[in-house]
Amino acid sequence: MQASDWRGTYLAFSIDSLGERYMVNRLNLHIDESGSQDFSEGRYIVAVVLHDHSANIADPIDRYECRLSIAGLPNIPFHGKDLLHGNQDYAAVSPGDRKRLLAQFARFVRELPFSFFVLRYGVSDARNREELEARIRRDLALFVFDRLPYFQLFDVIAVYYDNGQGAVSIALRDALDFALAKNVADYRDADPSARGLLQVADYICTVVRVSDDYDAGKQTKTHERFFGNRRSFMQSFKKQLDRKLFN
């Protein structure tokens, strides 16, 4: 993965009525989800990463890629399930190196300037896709309304999402169009392998899922191999990530 794939376009411009270019305030939302809409896994998680486009992400990316190079680790786009189980791009990577990759990505996440929030649903929250979609739409709209002065600071809201689950995509559009001024939400399809902050959203889903498993006493040997015991997980992953929660 090339460095430019992570950074995207750093400066955002618009054109005024006289044809002059000017800087615009832009908020980037990167969304990922975990689970299935039929709740066959018993839960459904939506992670939303908020990034003020003016906040520098180039330097943390450079440091992260430099650390990978020095450590002799491959620069593989993060995907939590594949990393833990050695699938897809991680198939040829040893468990030891996958654990080192996880630690490096966790450090990278700590250094990035972003905040996030998570929506979580269980089998008692919706009986089918339509109910789930309605619940996500309502919760997203309420979240934006409760923090409307913050969202109104931005001229553009750019939504990055791979459209993996239709319910989330539809709910995002409906909620933001309803809560924000017309034409503020700028929707962009995205390939997670080409958008670094989408990988951060995947990491958040992974940590939330693992946290639920530890809390329920349902952690697996794979969890313990990569995250240690519950105390180690909380100190090294969960509490560090919680510092980024959007309030």
Side-chain angles (χ1 to χ4, degrees), residues 81-98:
K81 286 186 177 180
D82 290 340
L83 183 149
L84 295 180
H85 299 288
N87 298 327
Q88 300 296 326
D89 293 339
Y90 297 95
V93 184
S94 70
D97 279 351
R98 283 187 277 126

Side-chain angles (χ1 to χ4, degrees), residues 191-226:
D191 178 355
S193 68
R195 298 297 311 184
L197 290 172
L198 273 178
Q199 296 170 43
V200 172
D202 184 294
Y203 173 85
I204 293 168
C205 286
T206 299
V207 171
V208 170
R209 288 177 63 91
V210 173
S211 179
D212 288 346
D213 290 338
Y214 273 107
D215 289 345
K218 296 181 179 179
Q219 68 271 21
T220 66
K221 291 182 178 179
T222 297
H223 290 152
E224 293 177 342
R225 176 186 300 160
F226 285 90

